[in-house]
């Protein structure tokens, strides 16, 4: 997946500001959580159209992976340390990469059309970039706390 130039870099940078991290009182205020939650909703709606024989296969796998992204953001945010939060963000990144492949597989199997694939892939790329920026911000905060 390539980085799309029309992705708003300011939106990605917002998550990396250390003072922003300090001021987020609830995970639902994180833009990356909001975007990943909406991605999960969109993926759930899309997988409703998958073949019935994929209910316990592809449908289940995609739903678990996409739900894992905002779930791990929420769980990590609720931990008592930036180190734990960083670990859970890494898990979210892994889940996002899993969704990326499952989207491609779904397209190649004919379960979704090219337009849906491109739209969801773009949304997923935005979430991935935001997760990576958040992880960098957390790492910086961890390094600052060690000094």
């Amino acid at each position: 997946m390539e980085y799309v130039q029309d992705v708003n870099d300011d939106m990605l940078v917002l998550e990396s500001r250390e003072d922003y991290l300090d001021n987020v009182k609830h995970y639902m205020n994180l833009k990356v959580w909001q975007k990943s939650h909406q991605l999960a909703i969109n993926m759930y709606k899309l997988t409703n159209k998958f073949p019935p024989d994929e209910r316990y296969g592809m449908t289940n796998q995609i739903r678990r992976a996409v739900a894992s992204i905002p779930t791990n953001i929420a769980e990590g945010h609720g931990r008592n340390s930036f180190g734990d939060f960083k670990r859970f963000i890494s898990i979210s990144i892994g889940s996002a990469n899993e969704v990326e492949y499952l989207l491609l597989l779904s397209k190649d199997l004919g379960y979704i059309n090219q337009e849906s694939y491109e739209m969801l892939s773009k949304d997923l790329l935005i979430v991935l970039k935001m997760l990576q920026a958040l992880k960098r911000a957390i790492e910086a905060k961890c390094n600052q706390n060690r000094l």
Side-chain angles (χ1 to χ4, degrees):
M1 201 183 287
E2 290 183 25
Y3 177 69
V4 181
Q5 287 299 336
D6 65 342
V7 173
N8 185 346
D9 286 329
D10 293 337
M11 175 180 61
L12 304 177
V13 171
L14 176 64
E15 297 289 13
S16 70
R17 294 187 183 145
E18 290 180 30
D19 60 326
Y20 180 76
L21 274 175
D22 290 336
N23 293 319
V24 175
K25 304 296 183 210
H26 197 274
Y27 67 87
M28 287 184 186
N29 294 332
L30 286 167
K31 291 194 183 304
V32 67
W33 181 87
Q34 295 166 5
K35 291 228 174 256
S36 62
H37 175 67
Q38 188 58 54
L39 178 66
I41 290 168
N42 293 341
M43 290 296 296
Y44 264 73
K45 289 177 181 177
L46 182 73
T47 57
N48 277 334
K49 300 173 186 167
F50 279 21
D53 63 326
E54 284 292 352
R55 169 177 249 163
Y56 301 107
M58 180 76 76
T59 302
N60 185 44
Q61 186 71 20
I62 288 176
R63 287 178 172 188
R64 287 183 324 122
V66 77
S68 176
I69 301 167
T71 300
N72 278 292
I73 294 168
E75 185 171 354
H77 189 270
R79 297 295 173 130
N80 291 327
S81 74
F82 282 114
D84 283 342
F85 192 18
K86 182 179 127 183
R87 186 169 54 87
F88 280 92
I89 295 303
S90 292
I91 294 168
S92 289
I93 291 169
S95 294
N97 284 308
E98 182 179 357
V99 172
E100 179 183 23
Y101 169 69
L102 292 169
L103 266 175
L104 175 64
L105 182 59
S106 297
K107 179 187 68 80
D108 289 349
L109 291 171
Y111 297 163
I112 62 173
N113 61 33
Q114 184 68 29
E115 182 182 338
S116 294
Y117 171 76
E118 289 175 6
M119 180 193 72
L120 289 166
S121 291
K122 181 180 176 183
D123 292 344
L124 181 61
L125 178 63
I126 291 169
V127 168
L128 267 167
K129 292 287 185 179
M130 292 176 80
L131 286 168
Q132 291 163 349
L134 180 56
K135 185 178 175 186
R136 284 190 303 274
I138 295 167
E139 286 170 345
K141 194 70 170 170
C142 288
N143 291 337
Q144 179 186 14
N145 288 344
R146 285 187 206 140
L147 298 177

